[in-house]
Amino acid sequence: MNIREFLYVVTIYEEGSLTKAAEKLFLTQPSLSKYIITLEDNYGMRIFDRSTSPWGLTDFGEEFIRVSREALCLNRHLEQKIQDIQNFKFGKLSVGIPVTRATHLLPQLLPVFQERYPDIKLQIVEKSSSALEELLLRGALDLIVFYQDDVNPLLNYQLLGKEKLYLVTAPGYIYGTQPGQRFHEIVYNYSLEEKPFILLHEMQRTRKIAERIFLDYKIKPQVQVVTRQLELATKLCIKGLGVTFTTETLRNSFQDNIQYQKADYYPLDKQYEIPIVAATRKDSYISKIGQCFIDLVKQMYTI
């Protein structure tokens, strides 16, 4: 066995397509197909069940995937230790960041990181928080930066900072309020149930916080629109289409945008602040460059 065998099989399984896997591995589809057939012939057992689309796994294939992921993870740890011994002379770091957070964090962070560590290849993976957590647990990422809404016993967390949440509306949308009033004052003096809410998809973490707020304040929201993009939800509300909960990061990013800089923001209590964390697998090796990246993000949140 070798690392290439593990990588090829895992890539085909995760991509769900021989064509997509070949593209990702920079191989032709016929050559990858031939390689897998030869590999299966050598073992005398099939890894993939070709009767389904996408390909499924045989019993042997499920075990092969499990061992392959462990082997690839161990290989990553070895590369990181070699990288540490070389003291940043070369190496790579794979980091997962949710799309919205990446949009606002990376323009500040990447120039500093590349200036300090020019020989480190940084791979950024942008997906939803739940998808990134799954990739981290599979050993496909070194670390992820996201907000923590619950604790996974298989992960270690480092707190980077906390982010405020706001109810946001168009100017004067809630008649009689004053910009900057606390959210609890708005709830007790004005009926939010009469206003349409624009919320994120129910599986997204910010939506889960919204549901907790509704429960705490006994609000039965009138959900007008559901989207997967927090920035879109915020912009729609600033344009007067409803109300939503948004983050301090987005609020700050709109300050230089003429279209969206005028809005009413009502801060929520500290209990709803979002803990921003860096997460790594408990059984993984955190490289020096990985910890440097975490420390740099932490500095960004304390400036």
Side-chain angles (χ1 to χ4, degrees):
M1 294 185 185
N2 57 55
I3 291 297
R4 184 172 62 173
E5 291 179 3
F6 297 138
L7 178 62
Y8 286 6
V9 172
V10 169
T11 302
I12 292 171
Y13 175 66
E14 292 181 351
E15 291 298 317
S17 162
L18 196 65
T19 301
K20 291 180 179 179
E23 291 176 355
K24 187 171 184 178
L25 294 167
F26 301 103
L27 298 170
T28 64
Q29 181 177 336
S31 63
L32 181 58
S33 178
K34 182 178 179 181
Y35 186 93
I36 296 301
I37 291 172
T38 300
L39 180 65
E40 290 177 323
D41 288 344
N42 289 339
Y43 284 113
M45 289 184 284
R46 294 297 173 217
I47 297 172
F48 293 104
D49 178 1
R50 293 163 175 78
S51 65
T52 63
S53 181
W55 286 357
L57 294 172
T58 63
D59 291 343
F60 172 66
E62 290 182 0
E63 183 64 16
F64 196 95
I65 288 291
R66 186 188 67 79
V67 172
S68 296
R69 283 175 169 165
E70 290 180 0
L72 290 170
C73 190
L74 289 172
N75 186 67
R76 181 189 292 275
H77 295 170
L78 177 60
E79 290 178 345
Q80 290 172 336
K81 290 182 179 181
I82 293 172
Q83 176 179 306
D84 286 349
I85 294 171
Q86 294 291 335
N87 200 25
F88 306 150
K89 289 183 179 179
F90 69 93
K92 58 185 178 180
L93 181 68
S94 183
V95 178
I97 306 180
V99 177
T100 300
R101 193 158 304 281
T103 300
H104 302 288
L105 176 64
L106 295 183
Q108 302 176 62
L109 187 142
L110 288 187
V112 178
F113 183 87
Q114 290 182 349
E115 181 180 358
R116 293 185 185 180
Y117 313 106
D119 298 320
I120 300 298
K121 181 180 179 182
L122 183 63
Q123 179 191 16
I124 300 294
V125 178
E126 300 173 67
K127 292 182 180 292
S128 68
S129 295
S130 56
L132 291 174
E133 189 171 323
E134 182 181 345
L135 288 172
L136 179 65
L137 289 170
R138 292 203 318 237
L141 295 172
D142 296 317
L143 62 96
I144 59 176
V145 174
F146 68 144
Y147 96 72
Q148 177 188 357
D149 63 340
D150 50 23
V151 175
N152 188 316
L154 300 177
L155 299 180
N156 284 324
Y157 301 94
Q158 294 187 45
L159 181 65
L160 304 175
K162 290 190 175 182
E163 187 163 19
K164 295 179 181 177
L165 276 184
Y166 298 84
L167 181 78
V168 59
T169 74
Y173 188 78
I174 303 178
Y175 181 76
T177 63
Q178 297 296 321
Q181 277 187 265
R182 304 296 299 183
F183 175 76
H184 66 264
E185 297 174 352
I186 303 299
V187 173
Y188 292 134
N189 292 289
Y190 305 90
S191 178
L192 289 180
E193 293 185 356
E194 297 177 357
K195 303 295 184 183
F197 272 84
I198 298 178
L199 298 176
L200 298 189
H201 189 275
E202 61 184 11
M203 295 304 295
Q204 292 179 266
R205 282 171 161 79
T206 305
R207 172 65 178 270
K208 292 179 181 179
I209 291 183
E211 297 292 349
R212 180 156 60 94
I213 295 168
F214 296 145
L215 184 63
D216 290 346
Y217 285 97
K218 298 179 173 59
I219 299 172
K220 296 180 180 179
Q222 177 189 149
V223 181
Q224 183 77 10
V225 177
V226 175
T227 175
R228 291 185 179 274
Q229 300 181 53
L230 181 59
E231 183 169 345
L232 174 60
T234 304
K235 287 180 176 179
L236 290 175
C237 290
I238 293 175
K239 289 294 186 179
L241 297 182
V243 299
T244 194
F245 299 106
T246 195
T247 62
E248 186 175 17
T249 294
L250 272 178
R251 178 186 180 179
N252 293 340
S253 72
F254 289 156
Q255 296 310 301
D256 296 326
N257 189 316
I258 296 176
Q259 288 191 75
Y260 301 107
Q261 63 185 199
K262 293 183 179 180
D264 288 346
Y265 292 93
Y266 307 100
L268 279 85
D269 293 338
K270 284 185 173 292
Q271 63 180 311
Y272 300 111
E273 289 183 353
I274 301 174
I276 309 300
V277 301
T280 55
R281 282 177 34 158
K282 279 189 174 179
D283 60 353
S284 70
Y285 173 77
I286 305 177
S287 65
K288 291 179 182 178
I289 194 63
Q291 189 59 52
C292 287
F293 184 92
I294 292 172
D295 293 340
L296 185 56
V297 178
K298 189 179 298 186
Q299 291 175 25
M300 295 290 178
Y301 276 103
T302 55
I303 291 176

